Amino acid sequence: MIPPQPLPRQPSARQAPPWQHALRDAFSRPAELLDYLELDPALPQLAAALARDFPLRVPRGFAARMRKGDPDDPLFRQIWPHADEAATVDGFGLDAVGDLSKVRPGGIIHKYHGRVLVMATGACAINCRYCFRRHFPYGEHLAARDHWRRTLDEIAADPDIREVILSGGDPLSLSDERLRELVDGLQDIAHVRRLRLHTRQPIVLPERVDERLLAWIDGGRLQSVVVVHANHPNELDTPVQTALLELRARGVTLLNQSVLLRGINDDTGILARLSERLSECGVLPYYVHLLDRVQGTAHFEVDGARAAELMRQLVARLPGYLVPRLVREQAGAQSKTWIAW
Ligand SMILES: *Cc1c(COP(=O)(O)O)cnc(C)c1O
Ligand code: SF4
């Protein structure tokens, strides 16, 4: 007979949950990461001065999914500050999707009908080199704690808002206490029906999906939707699968968005494996984005013709529900732009 296991100790209010330790322990020194991955210490990298505003940042659990000794590993390439980032390329600017002109008080961006995006925090567990918000001046726009009131007032004043999307940064960088505060406020606004989180944390830091998070995410009247962000099937290991299935078990609708990235997932076989692995994790593919043309990311771009070709091959391989929609974000458009292929 198996002896009963002692119950895990409940963390006291003061004690930081384990995911916050994992967050702090992330790799931030390039030399340390290269050493861990058994890579050449002289691997070309972005000059430290240029990387200062958007430094290397990788949770150890995510680094553990990379192949040792392979500088072309698709997970490594997503986070390595490559020397190519220093190139200035025509058409790649600082505010590619026109967000700056749209931010309202309370950190709200209201571009599309019926749904608003709240910039809850600028922090992320990982720094993805292709990130479209890597130059975003978060400090000026966040819905920081003191401003939840402002955020809630803005949402309460517009009865057309049916869905509130928490974004950032990664909203799950905030503590559960702060998130619950916001969610409690949203519950009191009758016209708000859905709460959506755009987060990469269940993928890069699956420890984040703990009992405290599960307690508020399915706790109330709002329908919960979590849109995660994985680009390659190797990101979805067993701890990630467990975390996602726990969210699913609480009734959360799970979707995934990816970015099409040259040398990482611009391949039909990889995209098909990603969709099938997502399905095993209880997640449906939602969007595959063409790269937003942000300074420092040009070396990741896959052109529209190649993207269309990949989609034609993908649809010939997978059931329709595992084929994501190819989209691009265009400044001034009324929705993401669906790309015909
Ligand atoms: C992408 C985005 C959304 C969500 O768009 P969906 O097509 O509903 O996923 C909402 N607001 C803003 C500002 C966005 O950039
Ligand atoms: S997790 Fe998302 S917001 Fe954060 S760096 Fe990566 S792509 Fe950007």
Side-chain angles (χ1 to χ4, degrees), residues 31-340:
E32 199 193 340
L33 180 65
L34 292 178
D35 182 54
Y36 169 77
L37 291 173
E38 297 163 17
L39 286 166
D40 181 355
L43 196 73
Q45 60 178 280
L46 186 64
L50 295 175
R52 197 172 301 130
D53 289 345
F54 193 64
L56 174 87
R57 185 172 178 79
V58 197
R60 282 170 194 269
F62 191 77
R65 294 170 230 162
M66 298 172 189
R67 286 188 295 266
K68 300 252 164 118
D70 181 2
D72 292 326
D73 176 85
L75 276 55
F76 178 73
R77 293 191 60 165
Q78 292 183 45
I79 53 80
W80 181 246
H82 197 282
D84 285 354
E85 289 181 22
T88 323
V89 179
D90 265 1
F92 285 75
L94 292 181
D95 182 26
V97 297
D99 275 353
L100 274 181
S101 60
K102 296 282 183 177
V103 188
R104 296 211 322 238
I108 287 176
I109 303 184
H110 194 174
K111 284 200 211 172
Y112 306 151
H113 183 78
R115 52 218 197 274
V116 289
L117 189 143
V118 176
M119 311 273 285
T121 169
C124 288
I126 189 165
N127 282 344
C128 313
R129 304 317 300 180
Y130 52 83
C131 180
F132 75 110
R133 293 228 174 91
R134 57 181 289 171
H135 305 291
F136 203 82
Y138 283 109
E140 300 159 33
H141 297 289
L142 288 186
R145 182 186 199 112
D146 299 349
H147 298 126
W148 283 153
R149 200 18 58 210
R150 191 73 199 254
T151 310
L152 291 167
D153 287 348
E154 291 278 322
I155 294 168
D158 184 347
D160 282 342
I161 299 173
R162 316 271 297 170
E163 175 166 356
V164 174
I165 303 172
L166 302 188
S167 181
D170 195 316
L172 290 184
S173 305
L174 295 174
S175 70
D176 291 308
E177 290 70 29
R178 291 182 69 178
L179 288 161
R180 184 186 276 276
E181 218 171 69
L182 176 63
V183 172
D184 284 350
L186 292 174
Q187 309 258 18
D188 293 339
I189 304 173
H191 55 260
V192 175
R193 304 298 170 85
R194 293 183 303 277
L195 172 69
R196 188 193 323 179
L197 270 79
H198 277 196
T199 173
R200 188 147 158 74
Q201 285 206 3
I203 308 297
V204 302
L205 196 82
E207 303 90 317
R208 181 66 186 88
V209 183
D210 61 8
E211 281 306 319
R212 289 198 203 186
L213 174 115
L214 293 168
W216 63 261
I217 211 158
D218 80 339
R221 166 184 76 75
L222 304 175
Q223 186 196 340
S224 296
V225 180
V226 170
V227 181
V228 294
H229 170 183
N231 301 308
H232 192 283
N234 294 3
E235 293 172 48
L236 303 166
D237 66 357
T238 305
V240 172
Q241 182 179 32
T242 305
L244 293 168
L245 291 175
E246 273 174 10
L247 286 166
R248 245 278 286 252
R250 303 294 173 116
V252 175
T253 299
L254 289 174
L255 303 170
N256 181 65
Q257 52 183 347
S258 314
V259 182
L260 208 49
L261 298 164
R262 195 202 303 168
I264 293 172
N265 61 7
D266 56 340
D267 174 274
T268 313
I270 290 170
L271 291 172
R273 279 201 290 126
L274 173 61
S275 279
E276 296 205 301
R277 184 65 189 143
L278 285 166
S279 178
E280 289 167 4
C281 296
V283 183
L284 285 177
Y286 179 40
Y287 284 150
V288 54
H289 290 258
L290 289 183
L291 185 80
D292 293 321
R293 305 191 93 197
V294 163
Q295 192 179 307
T297 66
H299 55 293
F300 286 121
E301 190 171 47
V302 176
D303 69 40
R306 173 73 185 138
E309 175 62 22
L310 288 167
M311 293 307 296
R312 284 190 292 271
Q313 291 170 1
L314 200 59
V315 79
R317 276 206 196 188
L318 290 173
Y321 65 90
L322 291 185
V323 180
R325 239 170 244 151
L326 178 64
V327 293
R328 108 169 326 139
E329 181 143 0
Q330 275 173 321
Q334 290 191 318
S335 69
K336 305 285 184 259
T337 303
W338 298 19
I339 297 173

Side-chain angles (χ1 to χ4, degrees), residues 1-5:
M1 209 176 95
I2 304 169
Q5 299 295 308

